[in-house]
Amino acid sequence: MISFDCIYVRYGELNTKGKNIVEFKKLLYQNIRHALREFDSLTYIFRRDHIFIELNGTDYEPVMEILKGVSGIYSFSLIIKSANQDLDYIKKTCFEALISEKKHDTYKIECKRNDKSYQPDSRGIIKEVASYIHHSDPSIKVDVHNPDVLLNILIGYGETLIYTNSILGAGGYPLGIGGKTMHMLSGGIDSPVAAYLMMKRGVKVECIHFASPPYTN
């Protein structure tokens, strides 16, 4: 059985920044490491438009649950990351990744080649993988409009990434990039929602609450 051994973190909105983009990405990287500080065995690979978090045997579920709340992350995926770029390996691993999903009656394949010298091309890889899946289990059907599983293949320079559906993160900017503010916290829902939305834009929030019983309830 396959083992998902890495988490692929995407920046999203941060990629629209200009000359200060390095500061945004550096702070996001620091925030992710701080949020996951309890997991000692994780290792991090910092790339231009994404971050790899290698699990090294760590249970992925608590790690991914924490990542959902880190502002600045657009989305992330649990992936299989390998230096093996043999097409037979890709076909077999894609099939195993597909059937590892609880619901996999239908699927769609998307493929991207960063390394354009790799052959076959993206369309050829999709045809080969789909043919292998069909012969391995004809009950699993292709659905390009509303699939149960979106199977992604990314061919890089000397590495292959295979992953299924992505999980949306909090989005926005990394916490701390927008400075710090004091925020009045009332007893209703509006003020904490406003605080959360400011935090998603990178503002650190310190909350103040005034309680005055018995004069108010």
Side-chain angles (χ1 to χ4, degrees):
M1 194 65 181
I2 61 168
S3 175
F4 290 92
D5 52 7
C6 188
I7 298 175
Y8 179 35
V9 179
R10 304 172 191 82
Y11 302 141
E13 188 177 354
L14 299 193
N15 288 322
T16 64
K17 304 306 293 181
K19 294 180 179 179
N20 59 349
I21 190 171
V22 175
E23 298 176 29
F24 280 74
K25 292 180 179 179
K26 183 178 179 181
L27 184 56
L28 175 59
Y29 177 57
Q30 292 172 353
N31 289 350
I32 290 174
R33 295 202 61 158
H34 179 73
L36 300 175
R37 61 192 180 280
E38 64 182 279
F39 304 101
D40 297 331
S41 60
L42 300 179
T43 54
Y44 302 84
I45 302 174
F46 188 55
R47 297 279 179 88
R48 181 179 63 84
D49 57 354
H50 59 270
I51 296 173
F52 288 130
I53 304 175
E54 296 182 336
L55 296 168
N56 301 315
T58 302
D59 183 9
Y60 63 83
E61 289 187 353
V63 174
M64 295 175 73
E65 195 62 34
I66 291 173
L67 288 176
K68 290 178 184 177
V70 178
S71 59
I73 294 177
Y74 172 70
S75 66
F76 56 91
S77 301
L78 191 61
I79 69 169
I80 303 155
K81 179 173 176 285
S82 175
N84 191 341
Q85 294 192 303
D86 181 74
L87 186 57
D88 287 336
Y89 164 81
I90 292 173
K91 292 188 291 186
K92 181 175 182 292
T93 305
C94 284
F95 176 67
E96 291 180 350
L98 175 61
I99 63 174
S100 71
E101 295 284 339
K102 292 181 179 179
K103 186 178 181 183
H104 55 264
D105 296 331
T106 60
Y107 73 98
K108 176 184 177 182
I109 303 173
E110 291 187 352
C111 180
K112 181 180 179 181
R113 291 180 310 148
N114 289 336
D115 182 1
K116 300 302 183 184
S117 66
Y118 184 90
Q119 293 297 322
D121 61 12
S122 297
R123 184 175 296 181
I125 294 171
I126 291 173
K127 288 178 64 176
E128 289 282 347
V129 173
S131 176
Y132 182 89
I133 292 172
H134 176 72
H135 286 94
S136 299
D137 188 344
S139 68
I140 306 176
K141 305 298 183 182
V142 173
D143 183 347
V144 298
H145 300 294
N146 188 31
D148 295 327
V149 180
L150 178 60
L151 188 59
N152 294 271
I153 307 166
L154 177 58
I155 305 296
Y157 292 92
E159 67 183 10
T160 302
L161 307 181
I162 296 170
Y163 58 96
T164 54
N165 300 324
S166 299
I167 299 171
L168 286 177
Y173 296 150
L175 189 63
I177 201 70
K180 189 173 182 179
T181 188
M182 305 298 290
H183 180 67
M184 181 76 79
L185 203 61
S186 68
I189 190 61
D190 293 348
S191 56
V193 169
Y196 176 69
L197 292 175
M198 283 192 290
M199 291 167 68
K200 284 184 65 173
R201 305 316 295 169
V203 179
K204 282 189 175 181
V205 175
E206 293 287 350
C207 293
I208 308 169
H209 177 70
F210 293 95
S212 55
Y215 306 108
T216 61
N217 59 28

